[in-house]
Amino acid sequence: MDDVIHDFRQAQQITSGTLLASTLEPLPTSAGHDPQRLRSFYHRYNKLNVAHELRAQISHRLSRAEGEAWTEVYIAFWRVVGELLSRSDESGTTDAGSPSEEANATAPDWVKIYALWKEVANALIRGYSSAHFPGWTGPCLYVVGKYLTTFAVKADEQLRDKPENEDVFHGGFHEDDDAGTATNEKLEDAARVINRMFTLCISDRTSLEDSRKWAIYYITNLLFKTYFRLHSNGLCKNILRALDASQGDIPPLSSFPKSHVVTFKYYVGVIYFVEEQYAKAEAHLTMAWQMCHRQALKNKELILTYLIPCRLQTSQTLPASTLLAPYAHLQALFGPYCASIRTGNLVGLDAALAAGEAEFIRRRIYLPLERGRDLAVRNLFRRVFLAGAPETVDPDHDASETAAGGSRNVEVDHDAARRTRIPLAELVAAMRMMSGRRRRRTPRRSRRRAAHVDVEGDQAAGDADDDDDEKAEAEEEATRDEDQVQCLLANLFLMNLVKGYVSRERGMLVLSKGGAAFPGTGV
């Protein structure tokens, strides 16, 4: 008896779903056992006796119906192993251990492997649909579903890389195909199969102790992962609605393995994030972050990738440098970005967004990060506010008090007396400086020429016209910059990032008193 069937019979005896699922691992490196176990499993049988031999060994102590159902599964599994081993044998190694030229030329036929593995999935689904398999065997769905998506992705990649001349018939004809419509054909097909697994789990009506509902969140996570690859986020909402409708029949989320819960919360948080429901997204992502294992750095990095821009939208909070320190990739992406926002450096902000643009767009976080420009502008205006001198005591007010009650020493509290009025010209100058621009200056070259060249009439008049044009352009630019600052202030008022109003007549920004001018900053 080979190791695969031995582990199958032992798993049936001790009702271990994990051990049973390990017998369906199709790759030698993934089984966690002897690397030769799959080879011995395949070569023990042949096409003539595989059905008879497997049925005799699998049906031991099982009912006839359950034995037949498992036999179908393992016959299909035997075919997959044979295809994988045949490709491995064709792409052997040389005596020195390095791949031969023939090995490099031979690649697995992932399209065929996917089709064979789909037969394994269908046989497993038929066994569950006929109520032949008990609920404790649910981990088999995990393994079969996981490799179904893995092989589908590889098959689609192989189809995309397929040379065009392979379809040529006698050098002149080839079949028309819709390029782009079948880009993810196998993955879409895999999603439909996994959806059947989801239906099997959510519609199970057996008692919870022996229910397939314990596999529901793992299968849900597989569906989410597949739909995200297909850019079909809308289908994820259908799954969430089905889960909400069945909450009374599904065990509490806290009863499931923590790995299932963390992955589920992560995907739900990303779904709400993409829909710009940032409060809900933050709640789910925060729970995933708190429950994630501290050594699972890759998973924590993925969670932070969405949690950072999410908190930027909900509470205008930037991550501390110590939080990003363990994650070099996130530090490279978000480090310059956060530093630019803190200092109000608009040039640095644009550079940080441009440097990570490809990654930000791929992760669908570019737009939320671009909205961080409002925070950068708020921090820039706050720096202008803090750099200003405190307001002085009104001399008229001081003289009236002296006349009424004698002299007194006035001590100015710089925090209490800090100015609440900022000229818009200062904000315009700060915007120009942090945007990498400078104010246009009216050239005096023409006036100097007119003063030193002894000419009359036309040349002097022409120089004066040039001066007037350049002065008008400078004034027009200054007006545009001031209008832009007023628009930015209006947005900051609306977002409750600044409290105050603009006095257009005096050209002043009038801020609220009592440390409430810039909410959330203590100023």
Side-chain angles (χ1 to χ4, degrees), residues 198 202 216-217 220 224 236-250 264 268:
F198 175 81
I202 202 170
I216 187 66
Y217 283 109
T220 298
F224 285 162
C236 297
K237 299 293 290 184
N238 297 337
I239 302 300
L240 290 178
R241 281 191 288 268
L243 289 174
D244 290 339
S246 303
Q247 281 304 311
D249 301 326
I250 300 177
F264 177 73
V268 174

Side-chain angles (χ1 to χ4, degrees), residues 133-137 204 206-214:
F133 299 157
W136 62 266
T137 62
D204 189 17
T206 59
S207 61
L208 286 181
E209 293 78 8
D210 194 35
S211 175
R212 293 189 296 270
K213 286 188 170 68
W214 293 106

Side-chain angles (χ1 to χ4, degrees), residues 178-214:
D178 295 328
T181 59
T183 302
N184 294 307
E185 175 187 355
K186 302 304 179 183
L187 190 59
E188 291 175 358
D189 185 57
R192 289 188 286 270
V193 176
I194 299 174
N195 207 331
R196 291 169 59 197
M197 295 181 182
F198 175 81
T199 304
L200 279 175
C201 295
I202 202 170
S203 61
D204 189 17
R205 292 295 177 262
T206 59
S207 61
L208 286 181
E209 293 78 8
D210 194 35
S211 175
R212 293 189 296 270
K213 286 188 170 68
W214 293 106

Side-chain angles (χ1 to χ4, degrees), residues 313-364:
Q313 297 297 315
T314 57
S315 58
Q316 292 79 47
T317 305
L318 293 172
S321 57
T322 54
L323 179 65
L324 298 178
Y327 315 101
H329 182 62
L330 290 185
Q331 198 167 23
L333 282 178
F334 292 109
Y337 172 83
C338 295
S340 300
I341 288 183
R342 288 190 178 98
T343 58
N345 185 357
L346 302 181
V347 175
L349 180 64
D350 290 336
L353 288 174
E357 182 177 1
E359 179 74 8
F360 294 151
I361 293 176
R362 186 172 71 88
R363 295 289 184 184
R364 286 164 286 193

